[in-house]
Amino acid sequence: LKPGKLDADEFAVMKTHAELGRQAIAEAERHLGGVSSFLSLAMEIAHSHHEKWDGSGYPRGLKGEEIPLSGRLMAIADVYDALVTERAYKSALPHAQAVEIIVGDRGRHFDPALTDVFVEIAA
């Protein structure tokens, strides 16, 4: 909810949420007494949705198809949602502008093939 850009220390703390999410879901799975395909997929998404196609993401710096498909899909959905939703630090962008931004990161942040599919269905 900070009404401005995060500083380097704040951003470092924020980046831990991918690993914390994975750990929380793993703990839930342990409490349920076994592996759940739903929770396993949720854990994969939580842990990989901030990885970037070019390898510059976090927490593991995965690149291209090293990133699970679920994480590559969620990366597009997560960024789209962040762009079109009003936040304490920014106004919501219109759909067309959000799509443009995502297309601009095709092959850098996002899987090129999934970006193309996103553009098809976002029209």
Side-chain angles (χ1 to χ4, degrees):
L1 297 177
K2 181 180 178 181
K5 193 171 174 103
L6 300 178
D7 65 31
D9 290 338
E10 291 167 333
F11 188 63
V13 169
M14 189 280 307
K15 289 191 324 184
T16 66
H17 84 274
E19 177 60 27
L20 293 173
R22 186 199 66 75
Q23 290 173 4
I25 296 166
E27 186 64 23
E29 212 171 40
R30 277 191 290 282
H31 280 296
L32 292 172
V35 174
S36 155
S37 61
F38 175 77
L39 290 178
S40 293
L41 183 59
M43 193 169 15
E44 183 178 88
I45 290 169
H47 202 223
S48 64
H49 73 287
H50 284 293
E51 300 289 355
K52 294 184 179 181
W53 187 255
D54 68 4
S56 67
Y58 63 88
R60 295 175 289 166
L62 300 178
K63 182 177 184 176
E65 292 185 1
E66 293 173 347
I67 305 164
L69 177 60
S70 62
R72 289 182 270 150
L73 287 165
M74 187 56 70
I76 294 171
D78 184 51
V79 169
Y80 177 81
D81 179 66
L83 292 169
V84 300
T85 303
E86 185 172 338
R87 303 285 171 97
Y89 53 88
K90 67 162 206 65
S91 299
L93 296 179
H95 169 76
Q97 190 175 358
V99 171
E100 275 182 38
I101 289 169
I102 289 171
V103 168
D105 270 337
R106 180 187 185 277
R108 285 186 296 277
H109 189 148
F110 306 113
D111 177 328
L114 294 180
T115 304
D116 294 346
V117 172
F118 171 76
V119 170
E120 271 185 51
I121 64 174

